Amino acid sequence: MDIKKYIEDGKAYLGIEFGSTRIKAVMIDEKGEVLATGSHEWENQLDNGIWTYSLDSVWNGVQDCYADLLKDVKAKYDITIKKFASIGFSAMMHGYLAFNDKDELLVPFRTWRNTITEEASKKLTEAFNYNIPQRWSIAHLYQAILNKEPHCKDINYFTTLAGYVHWQLTGEKVLGVGDASGMYPIDINTGDFDEKMIKTFDELVKPEGFGWNLRAISPKVLSAGEAAGCLTAEGAKKLDVSGNLEAGIPLAPPEGDAGTGMVATNAVAKRTGNVSAGTSIFAMVVLEKELKKVYPEIDLVTTPDGALVGMVHCNNCTSDINAWVNIFDEFAKAIGASVDKNTLYTTLFNKALEGDNDCGGLISYNYFSGEPVTGFDKGAPMFVRTAEDKFTLANFMRMHIYSSLAALKYGLDLMFKEEGVVCDEMFGHGGLFKTPVVGQSIAAAAMNASVSVMETAGEGGPWGMALLAAFLDEKKADNGLTLQNYLNNKIFNGMKGSSIEPDAKAVEGFDAFMKKYVKGLAAEKAALDM
């Protein structure tokens, strides 16, 4: 294939994702091969107690990210991009962007990071009989109503960050079902917002006398592969300040970062899942049926094509490991040794494989911040041992990796053990899996499931969004094509990766660690009172 001509002819696909610290663009061909990338670093701000990003930073950021992509294309192929086969935008899920009938933002964007909706979260969970986490858009909306905020009466439309960007570029008020499932519950039988819960919400707020109802102010829900509008002339100029990008390019339904992560790891089929392990950690399992009861530890969202997903999201993962590695690095420097940081991580991680399956009785809590899954609104990293425990370097490192997965396992066990959910294979990505075998094998023991790491694991959400943009094109040619078949046959077929099955003794050892870990949560609570 002549890549230069391929790009010039507008056959490439573009995915752009707004992460919490970086906006990244990935351009691919029809096989999913990465042709060029671009990025822009950004940070949220604390504005009057609210974590937010200004709309100016949204547009400056995406323009700079796209310009960075153009630089990469120019350097590699010496061409100017004028069109794509299709484009897709994704972003961190949840949060609250509310607009009036003049399309003016009513209050600063409230991101998923804000924990200011506890009252609304509890009341809606009870009213819907469905877990509504604090970060969900509906919780932010209802909390604003409970707070009697003046702007509520003027709401004409509310959406997520990805939905906002898509609307501004196409004029279409739509949202991919995966992202929509983080606004408020989806009826998996219809692939749309749950009508019964919409009516319940409207009844709850009826005494306020608003001139709107929930359905009227919400985006239209679309499944992966459905037409979601085209880039307008104004939108093209908003994205590409050079003015070279042409209008009329089709856009895929905007998605959330959870959905693009599922696509990027080929975890959209039932009985598959993915675990993303970095500063925070979350795991998602595509369910065969609805859960029998409501669990505050389990979020229910969907894949980009509308299948029900159980998600456990934990605030803490690798930060405590990083802190201890830094201590070892300080020690090495103190005795005059110079050790490359990557070598240090690899050495210590591999040492963990020599540890006892139950970590010799050692326990730690990696709570740099609160951990809602285990009931903590704040945290204090803590290491605990008795004189009888086997305190070795191998057990110490194995314990820290166990600890990074423990809160996640605490939530997943509700699905696996209480609900009988089956996960045949988990796909791992993120920093915990960078050292071959170690994190992968321990995660397999934690979840008692096969854990696979694909060679594309580092590409992440923007690549997943680019694949959804490509799927939009494929779906036009074959309306019966499913997202699962597309990924299996066109993208991941023959792709290299490694899979590790759970070791029975390691599974038993992790369970023994967890029993002690759960008992020791009382010590963590006591530490917070010091």
Side-chain angles (χ1 to χ4, degrees):
M1 182 177 67
D2 184 342
I3 297 177
K4 183 174 178 177
K5 187 174 188 306
Y6 181 88
I7 298 170
E8 279 186 312
D9 289 347
K11 294 182 178 179
Y13 304 95
L14 176 64
I16 297 180
E17 183 159 288
F18 292 77
S20 56
T21 59
R22 185 170 64 154
I23 304 170
K24 185 177 178 183
V26 173
M27 184 174 75
I28 64 170
D29 65 15
E30 76 273 10
K31 294 180 181 178
E33 294 290 334
V34 176
L35 303 177
T37 63
S39 67
H40 169 82
E41 305 294 323
W42 71 335
E43 283 289 347
N44 54 191
Q45 301 88 37
L46 191 61
D47 182 6
N48 291 320
I50 302 293
W51 288 107
T52 187
Y53 299 86
S54 70
L55 296 191
D56 283 344
S57 71
V58 169
W59 294 112
N60 291 336
V62 75
Q63 288 165 2
D64 185 58
C65 175
Y66 184 76
D68 195 46
L69 173 85
L70 296 183
K71 286 179 188 175
D72 194 32
V73 171
K74 189 73 174 174
K76 287 177 176 175
Y77 312 108
D78 193 28
I79 54 176
T80 299
I81 289 182
K82 294 185 178 180
K83 57 184 177 180
F84 296 92
S86 57
I87 303 174
F89 291 88
S90 53
M92 46 194 151
M93 291 173 66
H94 320 298
Y96 181 72
L97 282 152
F99 301 87
N100 62 18
D101 58 4
K102 296 178 182 176
D103 298 340
E104 297 167 332
L105 186 67
L106 291 168
V107 290
F109 170 32
R110 297 171 182 180
T111 77
W112 64 273
R113 188 178 179 185
N114 290 288
T115 52
I116 55 174
T117 64
E118 183 178 5
E119 182 186 4
S121 174
K122 287 180 178 178
K123 287 185 175 180
L124 289 176
T125 296
E126 183 179 345
F128 291 168
N129 191 32
Y130 197 101
N131 184 33
I132 305 296
Q134 284 203 52
R135 61 186 180 277
W136 281 26
S137 306
I138 193 76
H140 281 279
L141 172 60
Y142 192 44
Q143 190 65 54
I145 294 170
L146 292 174
N147 293 345
K148 304 292 183 182
E149 294 185 34
H151 83 268
C152 295
K153 68 180 185 305
D154 299 320
I155 298 172
N156 184 63
Y157 181 53
F158 86 126
T159 187
T160 65
L161 178 56
Y164 164 70
V165 172
H166 184 97
W167 167 41
Q168 293 298 297
L169 297 180
T170 66
E172 300 290 338
K173 293 180 177 180
V174 300
L175 202 59
V177 65
D179 202 12
S181 68
M183 287 193 72
Y184 57 95
I186 296 291
D187 180 344
I188 57 171
N189 296 310
T190 65
D192 198 357
F193 288 124
D194 190 295
E195 194 61 38
K196 182 180 178 183
M197 295 185 199
I198 287 176
K199 290 178 181 176
T200 298
F201 184 86
D202 286 339
E203 283 298 314
L204 278 176
V205 303
K206 190 175 181 179
E208 304 294 334
F210 298 134
W212 52 260
N213 59 65
L214 185 57
R215 171 69 74 177
I217 64 170
S218 300
K220 180 182 178 182
V221 180
L222 299 175
S223 184
E226 289 192 275
C230 294
L231 191 67
T232 63
E234 183 184 4
K237 291 175 184 175
K238 208 160 189 174
L239 178 60
D240 181 13
V241 294
S242 73
N244 291 311
L245 192 62
E246 297 176 358
I249 300 168
L251 264 69
E255 263 301 342
D257 51 358
T260 58
M262 284 185 268
V263 171
T265 52
N266 194 23
V268 300
K270 290 178 181 177
R271 295 171 62 129
T272 66
N274 75 86
V275 54
S276 175
T279 305
S280 63
I281 185 169
F282 65 85
M284 313 180 74
V285 180
V286 186
L287 305 176
E288 296 179 277
K289 58 183 179 180
E290 296 202 27
L291 302 181
K292 295 190 288 285
K293 56 184 281 191
V294 176
Y295 299 90
E297 301 88 352
I298 301 172
D299 297 359
L300 293 174
V301 292
T302 77
T303 63
D305 58 348
L308 188 64
V309 174
M311 177 169 72
V312 178
H313 183 280
C314 306
N315 289 347
N316 302 279
C317 185
T318 58
S319 294
D320 201 29
I321 293 175
N322 296 340
W324 282 104
V325 171
N326 286 336
I327 288 290
F328 286 115
D329 186 42
E330 279 190 44
F331 170 73
K333 289 174 180 173
I335 61 171
S338 178
V339 183
D340 174 74
K341 214 54 172 301
N342 287 331
T343 302
L344 191 56
Y345 270 100
T346 301
T347 302
L348 291 170
F349 266 55
N350 282 319
K351 194 69 180 175
L353 292 179
E354 300 173 19
D356 296 321
N357 287 320
D358 66 349
C359 304
L362 309 182
I363 296 291
S364 77
Y365 299 91
N366 66 337
Y367 298 177
F368 264 62
S369 64
E371 193 52 78
V373 170
T374 50
F376 288 83
D377 58 8
K378 57 182 179 177
M382 184 170 67
F383 165 49
V384 181
R385 69 184 178 100
T386 67
E388 292 78 27
D389 293 333
K390 298 176 184 176
F391 187 27
T392 66
L393 178 60
N395 281 337
F396 185 72
M397 288 310 301
R398 192 177 186 95
M399 169 203 71
H400 281 301
I401 299 175
Y402 273 30
S403 179
S404 72
L405 293 159
L408 182 75
K409 178 175 172 60
Y410 185 89
L412 285 176
D413 277 353
L414 294 174
M415 279 200 281
F416 296 153
K417 296 180 178 180
E418 299 294 323
E419 290 282 340
V421 169
V422 177
C423 182
D424 297 324
E425 189 169 25
M426 274 279 194
F427 295 89
H429 56 113
L432 191 69
F433 300 103
K434 283 184 179 178
T435 301
V437 180
V438 185
Q440 198 175 348
S441 61
I442 291 176
M447 295 177 278
N448 196 17
S450 172
V451 175
S452 300
V453 175
M454 307 302 291
E455 63 181 2
T456 55
E459 300 296 349
W463 183 65
M465 191 63 242
L467 291 178
L468 287 171
F471 178 64
L472 174 71
D473 210 30
E474 295 281 339
K475 188 84 171 169
K476 288 178 189 172
D478 179 3
N479 193 45
L481 182 67
T482 66
L483 181 60
Q484 181 184 341
N485 287 338
Y486 164 71
L487 294 174
N488 285 341
N489 300 326
K490 185 113 184 185
I491 304 301
F492 289 91
N493 186 23
M495 186 173 287
K496 294 179 181 178
S498 64
S499 298
I500 293 181
E501 297 293 328
D503 176 80
K505 289 184 178 178
V507 171
E508 187 179 325
F510 209 121
D511 283 342
F513 171 88
M514 282 302 297
K515 286 179 182 177
K516 198 168 182 180
Y517 178 93
V518 172
K519 283 183 180 179
L521 288 171
E524 173 70 13
K525 286 191 169 89
L528 293 171
D529 293 331
M530 289 194 305

